[in-house]
Amino acid sequence: MSYLLHIDSSALPTGSVSREVAETFRDAWQQAHPTGHVVHRDLATDPSPHLTTAAVTARFTAPADRTPEQAEAIELQDELVEEFLGAGVYLFTVPMYNMSIPSSFKAWLDHIMVPGRTLGLSPHALATAGRPAVVISSRGGAYGPGTPRDGWDHAIPYLTTVLGSALALDVQFVISELTMAHRNPAMADLRPAADASRTRAHQEAKQHAQKIATHLLA
């Protein structure tokens, strides 16, 4: 079985709820599949650069005609694309920042979403179609139906489209809400709900890891 690719985009090295829940997934995964290999790319310590003119134009320039800047840009792109294509399972740690995803994760996506390689006319014909993926996301507040900020979540809908539709992965989401409740006195009455959401996220992460590993090893 190919490796688990873990892309981590939390800016916090410690105290990150999304990293904490992802660790629960990783622990459960390794227990269920102790010989499984994990490739971890931490975008906080090793960020992918934002696309440049050289990175974009290199895709449409013959290798012999590329400038040194284009050659360098395409080398990084090839590395990231091959790493993505080589995985059999994906774990994405993507907290919500300012109603959307971290710019570091968007930059990584911009490098690996390449027509003819990871994108095509028919997503279901892609090499990655149907491969399992789990997105661990956290957010300081609550954005579900009935909340004051219902409709402000531009992270999960975007990731559903990009990962599930464009890249054709079989995506599951694990979400921990109200993570600011223990830091913001104005949210003190929401702390029980925050704790329940966090506990549920850990449970769901563990269950997803066990289920995916069991299915792949069957």
Side-chain angles (χ1 to χ4, degrees):
M1 185 177 68
S2 54
Y3 52 83
L4 165 69
L5 177 60
H6 180 193
I7 304 295
D8 204 333
S9 64
S10 171
L12 298 176
T14 59
S16 165
V17 174
S18 60
R19 285 183 184 269
E20 177 188 300
V21 176
E23 185 176 352
T24 292
F25 181 100
R26 290 270 300 269
D27 288 344
W29 174 265
Q30 291 175 334
Q31 290 176 9
H33 185 40
T35 61
H37 183 46
V38 177
V39 174
H40 182 207
R41 182 173 290 274
D42 191 336
L43 300 178
T45 58
D46 184 22
S48 301
H50 291 287
L51 285 182
T52 61
T53 299
V56 175
T57 57
R59 297 179 180 182
F60 312 105
T61 304
D65 297 329
R66 288 172 182 154
T67 65
E69 292 79 10
Q70 288 175 321
E72 182 179 1
I74 207 70
E75 182 178 5
L76 171 62
Q77 177 179 280
D78 286 342
E79 175 188 344
L80 296 177
V81 168
E82 291 304 316
E83 184 177 78
F84 174 75
L85 292 174
V89 182
Y90 304 88
L91 175 63
F92 301 115
T93 310
V94 192
M96 179 194 285
Y97 288 171
N98 298 318
M99 319 307 164
S100 188
I101 65 173
S103 62
S104 59
F105 193 74
K106 178 61 166 61
W108 176 80
L109 282 172
D110 286 340
H111 282 284
I112 65 102
M113 297 181 70
V114 181
R117 300 188 68 183
T118 59
L119 297 174
L121 295 177
S122 174
H124 299 292
L126 297 175
T128 55
R131 292 182 187 177
V134 175
V135 176
I136 307 294
S137 188
S138 59
R139 57 278 317 279
Y143 298 84
T147 64
R149 293 188 175 181
D150 181 11
W152 287 35
D153 179 357
H154 302 288
I156 300 305
Y158 172 77
L159 292 171
T160 299
T161 299
V162 171
L163 300 176
S165 299
L167 295 173
L169 300 177
D170 181 8
V171 187
Q172 303 293 327
F173 291 93
V174 175
I175 300 173
S176 181
E177 293 191 319
L178 301 168
T179 61
M180 288 297 295
H182 285 279
R183 299 182 182 183
N184 186 350
M187 299 175 65
D189 60 331
L190 296 173
R191 289 171 184 172
D195 292 340
S197 180
R198 194 166 180 167
T199 297
R200 184 167 56 251
H202 281 284
Q203 293 172 339
E204 291 178 357
K206 182 177 181 179
Q207 291 168 357
H208 283 308
Q210 293 172 334
K211 182 177 180 179
I212 294 170
T214 299
H215 175 74
L216 293 179
L217 292 171

